[in-house]
Amino acid sequence: MDRLPPLNAIKAFEVAARAGSFTLAASELGVSSAAVSQQIRNLENWFGKQLFVRTGNRIALTDAGHAIYPQTARALGDIAAIGQRMLEGGLRTRLVVSVPFSLAELWLAPRLALLLDAFPHMAIDVRAEDDPVDLMRQNVDLRISYGDYHYPGLRMVRLVHDDVLPVCAPEFWHRHGKGDAALTDLHESLFIHTNWGPNYASHPSWADWFAASGSNRWPDPSQGRRVGLSSLAVASARLGLGIALGQRVMAQADLDAGRLIALSSVSVRLGHPYCAFMPPAKADRADVAALLGLLVKTAPAT
């Protein structure tokens, strides 16, 4: 049998490379940072190559590290898949899809309904969670993520680069609209602001939208209605709670049905696209390929 590298060291390397930190890797693995560092040294000694450049508390993959990372991620994914099949025994394969909270109801669920029309007996597990997700450890078949940078070494397919535009319920506009200049004249309290959270800095705000439309207005979030999810902003607008800067992929069904109206043709693009990520060992599985094909086919042109 060919000589194999130490599996624990391979796992420590994969997690550290994905997390970009020995400390984060140690937290995920449930060991100390020193233990992770020792496992990496063992692997470097085994290969006779330096895999990371260490600068203080920061690490970066060397050329040798970049060369082996995709193969190690793929190999661990294969091992996880074998283990899952053994544990499930005779159970049918489930399609496990991981998605950000905001996309789950308004964007992914309607597409899963289309998928189940074609494959009515398909078993699907939908998990709403934030990045990053350990696809191998959690046996995820396909992850939809905001941005194309979270999962190096996995197969990536770009889905859509979304934009935002002002939307509200028709009844709300009937009560508060004042002609073409209404958005610049509305009271601060009527704007719905989305708080994207501490991990995101690239989502456009109302100030960005007004700047794109040629106005210097800067609505004060403290005076308006604030929500913690972009999907909740769209739902709030649909319920007549104010004017939201809604993501098009989430608002499109309501716009088509007349439950929402767009108040301007001016839109602002998000900082990053939405992408699908798959472990290489699962990318060609029939159910994964069917869902990916449907996501690509139904992605709006932007």
Side-chain angles (χ1 to χ4, degrees):
M1 178 182 290
D2 293 336
R3 185 175 171 227
L4 297 175
L7 183 58
N8 285 339
I10 286 288
K11 180 60 178 175
F13 166 75
E14 187 277 330
V15 176
R18 172 164 44 81
S21 162
F22 286 170
T23 301
L24 292 177
S27 177
E28 180 173 327
L29 294 170
V31 299
S32 67
S33 296
V36 172
S37 182
Q38 182 59 52
Q39 291 285 8
I40 299 301
R41 281 195 294 271
N42 292 343
L43 193 62
E44 289 177 327
N45 291 335
W46 194 92
F47 282 118
K49 302 283 186 181
Q50 184 174 346
L51 302 176
F52 290 101
V53 175
R54 301 160 175 84
T55 307
N57 292 328
R58 302 178 62 185
I59 61 172
L61 285 169
T62 64
D63 181 69
H66 278 292
I68 70 168
Y69 176 71
Q71 287 84 0
T72 58
R74 186 179 304 117
L76 290 171
D78 289 342
I79 293 170
I82 292 170
Q84 190 67 26
R85 286 197 297 270
M86 294 295 291
L87 290 172
E88 290 179 348
L91 295 178
R92 60 180 173 170
T93 300
R94 299 187 67 84
L95 175 61
V96 181
V97 185
S98 174
V99 63
F101 289 93
S102 284
L103 288 181
E105 180 180 359
L106 296 182
W107 190 75
L108 178 62
R111 284 154 178 79
L112 291 179
L114 293 175
L115 184 67
L116 290 174
D117 281 343
F119 304 95
H121 301 297
M122 180 181 289
I124 300 178
D125 182 1
V126 179
R127 302 174 184 175
E129 50 199 343
D130 289 326
D131 290 305
V133 176
D134 188 338
L135 273 66
M136 267 67 94
R137 175 176 289 185
Q138 298 179 29
N139 196 37
V140 173
D141 300 314
L142 186 146
R143 166 69 181 172
I144 300 170
S145 176
Y146 175 68
D148 55 7
Y149 50 87
H150 285 293
Y151 305 100
L154 300 186
R155 181 181 173 190
M156 183 195 77
V157 175
R158 176 173 160 152
L159 299 175
V160 60
H161 200 150
D162 201 13
D163 58 346
V164 295
L165 70 166
V167 297
C168 71
E171 297 81 5
F172 180 91
W173 188 244
H174 179 72
R175 292 196 307 271
H176 298 283
K178 302 174 183 177
D180 293 340
L183 280 175
T184 58
D185 298 334
L186 285 179
H187 191 271
E188 300 274 287
S189 65
L190 300 181
F191 291 96
I192 298 172
H193 302 266
T194 304
N195 178 10
W196 303 104
N199 294 332
Y200 300 100
S202 61
H203 286 286
S205 66
W206 271 113
D208 297 318
W209 184 86
F210 274 110
S213 66
S215 169
N216 61 0
R217 182 164 188 187
W218 194 301
D220 183 359
S222 68
Q223 302 299 315
R225 293 98 195 251
R226 289 188 287 184
V227 297
L229 288 173
S230 50
S231 57
L232 186 55
V234 172
S236 298
R238 186 197 317 122
L239 293 171
L241 302 183
I243 300 175
L245 202 55
Q247 287 188 224
R248 191 182 299 271
V249 297
M250 299 176 196
Q252 193 62 59
D254 288 318
L255 290 169
D256 292 342
R259 295 183 293 265
L260 287 175
I261 56 173
L263 300 180
S264 173
S265 61
V266 176
S267 65
V268 181
R269 234 181 181 198
L270 271 62
H272 300 284
Y274 286 105
C275 299
F277 293 89
M278 296 143 287
K282 299 182 177 184
D284 295 325
R285 213 173 74 189
D287 53 354
V288 177
L291 175 58
L292 179 62
L294 180 63
L295 295 177
V296 171
K297 181 179 178 181
T298 60
T302 58

